Amino acid sequence: MTLPAAFLAEVHRLIPAERRFDDPMATLAYGTDASFYRLLPKLVIRVEYESEVIALLQAAQAERVPVTFRAAGTSLSGQAISDSVLLVLGDHWSGRDIRNGGAQIRLQPGVIGAQANAWLKPYGRKLGPDPASINACKIGGIVANNASGMCCGTAQNTYHTLAGLRLVLADGTCVDTEDAASVAAFRHSHAGLLAELARLGESTRADPALAERIRHKYRLKNTTGLSLNALVDFTDPLDILSHLLVGSEGTLGFVSAVTYNTVADLPHKATALIVFPSVETCCMAVTALRTQPVTAVELLDRRSLRSVQHKPGMPAFVQTLSPGACALLIECASEQAAGLESAISQVMAALAPFPVEARIDFTTDAVENARLWAIRKGTFPAVGAVRETGTTVIIEDVTFPVERLAEGVNQLIALLEKHRYDEAILFGHALEGNLHFVFTQGFNSAEEITRYDALMKDVAQLVAVDFGGSLKAEHGTGRNMAPFVELEWGTQAYQLMWAVKRLLDPQGILNPDVILSEDPAIHLKNLKPLPAADELVDKCIECGFCEPVCPSKGLTLSPRQRIVMWRDIQARKRSGQNTATLERQFRYQGIDTCAATGLCAERCPVGINTGDLVKKLRGQQASRPQAARWAGDHFATLLASARLSLRAASGAQRLLGAPRLGRYAKGLRSLSGNTLPRWTPALPQARPAITFTAPNDDARPRVVYLPACVSRVMGPAIGDAEQTPLIEKTQALLEKAGYQVVFPEALDSLCCGQPFTSKGYTEQGEAKRQELLRALLRASRGGLDPIYCDTSPCTLRLVDNLADTRLDLYDPVRFIYSHLMDKLDFTPQQAPIAVHVTCSTQHLGQSQALLAIARRCSDKVVVPEGIHCCGFAGDKGFTQPDLNAHALRSLKGAVQHCSEGISTSRTCEIGLSDHSGINYHSLVYLVDRVTSPKIEHSENSLHAPKQGELAAISG
């Protein structure tokens, strides 16, 4: 079935071509969310404005075209996919308005949940909903799924903290419940609809049995079906409407803004891990804790503890727990330290009657707290990481009445064993009776699908009927539980949901077959294949947690989408299909525009670095190993050539001027088929080669200074007010702090190997790395002296899997933070500073140290929101400038009031300067500017040498 011509014509009129996708690669990439379902949309549209959504819905209604909304696509139940039209949120949905000292916040649907909490943190407030996916999921999805989480419970979800809503109905009508004029107009234009909602509410409240059933269902954590509690909790039909939209999963309308009543973010927290000898004892303890001052109580069964017991940092006793052990991870929090102590005392008194097998007492230490929560957070990925290739990992969430939790847990375990899900684990939010069970599932045979179906039917009977619980506590109904909504709710309530659906979406165009479906087997259709692609990425569960930090997301593919595409290409190859066209597309979309910096691994639950796959594919396509080997053997010659090229570019800029040279360079690049590197006014001038002189031996402590090859070649840009090269600036700072600076010999021949490995020449890159490590060992007198490398990417490359523990390697952040802060006096400047935390700084774990140094140097530090990787990626900023431009598309507006930017990577600073309108420099420049030597060091300080007169030490 194709989309109607009239609808497509309207789409082409409304949406520019660069935001419409219907090619096989794009539709497959966007046909994936975090669930185990897949539908391929016929058309994907990236919407940027509410007016576009309104017009598109009007066109869809006129032609009866089904439409599905997508925020982050982290949904687990198949509610963010479509085989028709998929509307994906673009960049322009990130507005916010903080009100009343943070008591309320109005957000657009494209805001990531964690970003909203970052905005609220200075006010001591946060959002009520706290889903596990909060670092990736967006407000639109949080509202649409009525997401909750570990601390949220039922009282602080979106439904109960909703202060206002701006929504668009299926007919394209928009109403803002906080705008009196909008409300008045809507009450006039949709009087009939509101009257029918009022009638449905009155009839529901007038039926005591139905009303009480609804109230009972929502005393539990429950996202199964539509939010019928709106019909009993409110009498104003507009209040009913706005609360019906919460948890409706895009089946009743589009939420274009939401206002939350925020909750307190209590600053004093403590965590304990208590292990009980049995599930029964553990659940009895949960009942006792319900009346205690706890903010979170997480249950972990023995299998879940076993899944993480061998991970680093796990308590040793976890390996020796009894087979029936069951643990509670308990958090207390308070506004004051004294209040926290009181809460802990009350909790421990409540638990005193229960036998305990093992325990870690309450701790306020942030590191220890993080370690304890890592046990809970590591269980789901632990199952995903050990599953067989080709299977998926499924996480279901159900709610039992808490007073019957032990019975529910044991019967659920028995069901999993009955259906041979022996690897399944249980954990969950115990205070709410909310359990997650995680298991692996293959869908490659009819037998496996039948086994899954049998499990789901048994689970539905157990939870919904035998225990009167809910089949979906917080993950949304989606397609997954749509066939079981009537079983859980009963026919009367189920038909009431259909009445609401038909009232608000009479044509049935909004996300059909989600929540409500007339197909009893919808949960078994369109199951997503996870074919083997490469062992580096086969464990990917396609959750999308990686996407917010990817610089190419929205330009080409995200890490999740790269894996989806590569899986599909490999499956097609195995079936004998011709994949040449797809592979050509993937070359640009998947390989060329991947920064390969590995930030995705930092967010991935199973630790997948999609950049490793890309580097491997580049290696398979690398066709000039001899040239790479020659370059490694003649690296000094290579650097000399680079200096010559930079001199030529600088000469042309002085002769022609930057604007004219920019036009000429752009034309030449176009004529070359984009093989010539992009020229930019931020391009550095050439830095002369270092001339070495013998060092002066004295009593000062020594530091080996390794200038990266880019520092040896690249000086400041012509238009930069700061004209001192980084090497001279760094040596001056180190000597100011009282150090004697020495350099490895034959410096211009040395390289960490990163330029080789990033292009796929792994062998040549590793040879250069080992050569450099040997030179550093000599220069540091066998590891006696610390080694300072002036760029973070090179440092990361050297310390990664470093076998020689004698070498003490530092990037600028770590060295300044650990060795210079106490040797220098800081006089902070008033001018604001923009800080870019490079990918390598994040990998090195130095992000907070960098910000701490910056705050010692400036009274105003700006960290631009949403920029995690600049996309320059070594030389990608020259060869693939669209990646750099896309990654930094919001930078200029974020730093326009800053006087300077700082970073720890010279190449990143080129792109940052080019796209920000301000000059970015190494952190060293800022620290040097605002510091003076302390008295005990000043007498040993030396003047910085003149350019080209740097000292070297022989091995």
Side-chain angles (χ1 to χ4, degrees):
M1 176 181 164
T2 58
L3 296 174
F7 174 78
L8 290 174
E10 185 65 3
V11 169
H12 282 237
R13 186 185 70 81
L14 290 167
I15 308 296
E18 63 269 19
R19 291 198 276 119
R20 305 189 310 262
F21 311 94
D22 60 4
D23 61 281
M25 179 167 286
T27 54
L28 176 58
Y30 282 105
T32 295
D33 67 359
S35 73
F36 50 95
Y37 299 98
R38 172 174 292 158
L39 288 172
L40 299 185
K42 294 178 178 64
L43 178 64
V44 178
I45 302 173
R46 188 179 298 142
V47 290
E48 297 288 2
Y49 309 102
E50 182 186 74
S51 58
E52 293 176 348
V53 175
I54 290 171
L56 288 167
L57 286 179
Q58 289 171 341
Q61 175 119 313
E63 299 296 329
R64 297 197 172 193
V65 174
V67 172
T68 296
F69 309 114
R70 163 80 68 88
T74 57
S75 46
L76 292 164
S77 302
Q79 57 266 61
I81 55 177
S82 171
D83 59 0
S84 179
V85 175
L86 189 66
L87 301 187
V88 179
L89 295 181
D91 289 341
H92 294 99
W93 296 94
S94 56
R96 91 272 196 172
D97 177 19
I98 299 173
R99 304 171 179 173
N100 306 323
Q104 287 188 337
I105 186 169
R106 186 167 173 89
L107 297 163
Q108 287 188 296
V111 174
I112 291 175
Q115 181 61 67
N117 283 339
W119 292 330
L120 289 166
K121 191 172 183 62
Y123 302 92
R125 310 290 292 179
K126 64 177 182 177
L127 298 179
D130 63 334
S133 58
I134 198 165
N135 288 326
C137 68
K138 296 181 178 179
I139 294 300
I142 291 175
V143 175
N145 292 287
N146 197 21
S148 47
M150 286 180 275
C151 300
C152 171
T154 54
Q156 295 182 350
N157 60 21
T158 298
Y159 182 94
H160 288 291
T161 58
L162 182 69
L165 203 67
R166 185 177 177 91
L167 59 97
V168 182
L169 294 178
D171 64 0
T173 301
C174 179
V175 59
D176 188 335
T177 65
E178 295 185 303
D179 184 328
S182 175
V183 168
F186 186 73
R187 288 192 189 277
H188 176 73
S189 66
H190 285 66
L193 182 148
L194 292 173
E196 181 60 16
L197 281 176
R199 188 196 66 77
L200 288 173
E202 289 170 4
S203 63
T204 302
R205 294 189 297 274
D207 185 331
L210 177 59
E212 177 51 35
R213 178 161 183 76
I214 291 170
R215 292 189 182 99
H216 163 73
K217 294 295 293 182
Y218 287 103
R219 281 192 284 268
L220 306 173
K221 250 190 180 183
N222 179 27
T223 60
T224 308
L226 296 175
S227 299
L228 292 185
N229 45 342
L231 296 169
V232 297
D233 292 342
F234 301 96
T235 56
D236 186 321
L238 197 59
D239 286 333
I240 293 174
L241 174 62
S242 61
H243 286 81
L244 279 170
L245 262 288
V246 176
S248 65
E249 301 175 29
T251 64
L252 301 182
F254 174 81
V255 174
S256 58
V258 59
T259 301
Y260 279 100
N261 292 316
T262 63
V263 302
D265 184 14
L266 300 173
H268 297 275
K269 295 181 175 69
T271 309
L273 180 69
I274 314 292
V275 184
F276 301 91
S278 68
V279 169
E280 289 77 14
T281 305
C282 187
C283 293
M284 288 168 60
V286 170
T287 302
L289 290 173
R290 292 198 79 191
T291 58
Q292 300 304 315
V294 291
T295 52
V297 177
E298 293 291 297
L299 181 147
L300 300 101
D301 78 339
R302 182 65 185 98
R303 284 176 172 175
S304 64
L305 291 169
R306 192 176 292 118
S307 73
V308 295
Q309 66 185 21
H310 296 294
K311 289 185 175 293
M314 292 298 110
F317 67 72
V318 174
Q319 298 187 36
T320 59
L321 294 175
S322 62
C326 193
L328 295 180
L329 185 66
I330 307 169
E331 182 185 88
C332 294
S334 178
E335 194 69 48
Q336 305 293 334
L340 178 61
E341 291 179 9
S342 175
I344 292 171
S345 297
Q346 292 179 59
V347 168
M348 294 310 297
L351 292 178
F354 301 101
V356 171
E357 184 169 323
R359 69 195 299 162
I360 295 177
D361 287 327
F362 277 100
T363 174
T364 57
D365 180 76
V367 174
E368 183 67 10
N369 273 330
R371 190 171 72 89
L372 290 174
W373 278 103
I375 298 174
R376 159 64 176 83
K377 294 175 180 178
T379 51
F380 173 47
V383 174
V386 298
R387 74 185 194 280
E388 290 184 20
T389 298
T391 65
T392 190
V393 58
I394 296 176
I395 178 169
E396 292 291 355
D397 72 310
V398 299
T399 304
F400 293 104
V402 71
E403 62 274 10
R404 299 183 66 189
L405 183 58
E407 186 184 358
V409 169
N410 283 328
Q411 290 198 35
L412 186 54
I413 290 173
L415 269 187
L416 291 165
E417 290 175 348
K418 170 187 171 183
H419 292 286
R420 308 186 314 281
Y421 290 96
D422 301 321
E423 81 294 347
I425 65 171
L426 266 70
F427 57 85
H429 317 316
L431 288 180
E432 310 297 333
N434 175 198
L435 292 178
H436 300 308
F437 57 102
V438 181
F439 57 96
T440 63
Q441 175 70 55
F443 292 121
N444 299 319
S445 69
E447 180 185 8
E448 279 295 288
I449 295 172
T450 299
R451 182 168 73 116
Y452 171 73
D453 185 32
L455 173 67
M456 286 298 99
K457 286 175 178 174
D458 279 357
V459 167
Q461 178 67 31
L462 174 72
V463 175
V465 179
D466 298 348
F467 281 81
S470 57
L471 290 169
K472 284 292 184 180
E474 54 185 6
H475 294 168
T477 309
R479 289 171 162 74
N480 185 209
M481 286 298 173
F484 305 104
V485 174
E486 184 173 10
L487 177 71
E488 175 173 332
W489 275 95
T491 299
Q492 185 182 11
Y494 184 63
Q495 290 305 320
L496 183 57
M497 292 180 193
W498 271 111
V500 170
K501 168 70 171 175
R502 289 166 182 145
L503 175 64
L504 297 178
D505 181 20
Q507 303 282 10
I509 65 167
L510 297 181
N511 217 2
D513 282 326
V514 166
I515 297 184
L516 302 175
S517 176
E518 295 176 342
D519 185 346
I522 192 68
H523 65 303
L524 303 176
K525 295 179 178 178
N526 304 300
L527 298 169
K528 179 169 64 180
L530 289 174
D534 188 285
E535 60 183 9
L536 292 172
V537 297
D538 281 342
K539 299 303 181 187
C540 174
I541 55 180
E542 298 183 3
C543 64
F545 285 14
C546 56
E547 292 188 335
V549 296
C550 177
S552 64
K553 179 183 180 289
L555 172 69
T556 51
L557 299 175
S558 69
R560 166 167 65 174
Q561 292 171 333
R562 283 185 171 88
I563 294 171
V564 167
M565 289 309 309
W566 194 242
R567 279 175 166 162
D568 185 65
I569 288 170
Q570 297 310 300
R572 288 172 185 264
K573 276 187 173 181
R574 284 193 293 270
S575 67
Q577 296 181 49
N578 187 334
T579 60
T581 301
L582 272 178
E583 291 192 72
R584 277 196 301 272
Q585 289 178 304
F586 190 75
R587 173 76 198 199
Y588 170 73
Q589 300 266 346
I591 300 176
D592 292 348
T593 53
C594 178
T597 55
L599 277 192
C600 45
E602 299 288 307
R603 296 290 186 94
C604 176
V606 291
I608 292 170
N609 184 342
T610 311
D612 287 343
L613 171 66
V614 170
K615 289 177 184 177
K616 180 177 179 178
L617 297 179
R618 288 173 183 166
Q620 293 172 0
Q621 296 169 356
S623 58
R624 304 179 66 190
Q626 295 300 326
R629 191 170 294 110
W630 183 93
D633 293 341
H634 302 83
F635 200 72
T637 303
L638 205 65
L639 294 191
S641 299
R643 291 188 184 101
L644 185 62
S645 298
L646 290 175
R647 286 193 192 97
S650 297
Q653 183 175 349
R654 290 188 179 93
L655 178 65
L656 300 173
R660 185 182 298 174
L661 178 57
R663 291 194 298 271
Y664 289 165
K666 184 177 181 180
L668 287 172
R669 176 171 163 78
S670 179
L671 287 172
S672 73
N674 292 334
T675 57
L676 286 177
R678 175 179 180 265
W679 179 86
T680 164
L683 190 71
Q685 301 172 85
R687 190 208 177 283
I690 298 173
T691 303
F692 295 101
T693 59
N696 296 318
D697 281 333
D698 52 45
R700 293 176 299 169
R702 290 165 36 126
V703 58
V704 175
Y705 175 19
L706 170 65
C709 55
V710 290
S711 306
R712 287 174 250 151
V713 170
M714 297 178 176
I718 287 177
D720 195 338
E722 175 59 76
Q723 286 294 304
T724 304
L726 175 60
I727 296 178
E728 282 78 359
K729 186 66 71 173
T730 301
Q731 184 171 13
L733 176 65
L734 293 172
E735 292 184 338
K736 183 196 294 186
Y739 283 94
Q740 178 187 184
V741 180
V742 297
F743 294 81
E745 62 181 353
L747 190 56
D748 257 10
S749 297
L750 302 177
C751 173
C752 71
Q754 184 68 22
F756 297 87
T757 57
S758 65
K759 293 175 177 57
Y761 297 103
T762 305
E763 180 184 340
Q764 293 82 355
E766 183 58 23
K768 292 302 293 181
R769 176 174 179 263
Q770 292 301 326
E771 177 188 20
L772 175 54
L773 290 172
R774 290 191 295 270
L776 292 175
L777 191 63
R778 291 192 299 270
S780 63
R781 299 182 292 178
L784 183 64
D785 306 315
I787 301 162
Y788 175 101
C789 179
D790 62 11
T791 65
S792 296
C794 297
T795 313
L796 177 64
R797 164 77 180 158
L798 290 171
V799 302
D800 188 35
N801 294 317
L802 181 63
D804 196 332
T805 56
R806 292 173 294 174
L807 292 173
D808 193 11
L809 284 153
Y810 293 81
D811 77 322
V813 177
R814 181 168 167 248
F815 193 86
I816 292 170
Y817 190 79
S818 59
H819 288 337
L820 301 192
M821 298 284 273
D822 62 341
K823 296 179 176 66
L824 300 169
D825 287 322
F826 286 74
T827 305
Q829 66 180 42
Q830 293 184 346
I833 289 292
V835 176
H836 177 70
V837 185
T838 66
C839 305
S840 46
T841 301
Q842 296 175 61
H843 283 306
L844 289 164
Q846 298 300 314
S847 303
Q848 293 307 312
L850 171 59
L851 295 175
I853 296 168
R855 289 175 181 132
R856 283 284 297 273
C857 297
S858 174
D859 294 331
K860 176 65 173 176
V861 172
V862 176
V863 182
E865 296 166 2
I867 297 175
H868 304 274
C869 170
C870 72
F872 207 93
D875 63 355
K876 285 281 181 196
F878 298 127
T879 62
Q880 208 72 59
D882 48 343
L883 176 62
N884 185 224
H886 179 76
L888 300 180
R889 61 195 182 281
S890 63
L891 179 62
K892 192 168 188 177
V895 302
Q896 58 183 321
H897 301 299
C898 297
S899 60
E900 179 188 24
I902 62 167
S903 180
T904 54
S905 167
R906 183 66 187 96
T907 52
C908 293
E909 289 150 21
I910 298 170
L912 291 162
S913 299
D914 188 33
H915 293 287
S916 66
I918 62 174
N919 290 312
Y920 272 75
H921 303 120
S922 170
L923 171 66
V924 166
Y925 288 84
L926 176 63
V927 174
D928 183 61
R929 185 187 313 129
V930 303
T931 57
S932 57
K934 287 193 174 180
I935 294 174
E936 61 266 33
H937 297 297
S938 60
E939 62 185 25
N940 290 325
S941 297
L942 300 177
H943 294 295
K946 295 179 182 178
Q947 183 168 309
E949 296 179 353
L950 298 178
I953 184 78
S954 297

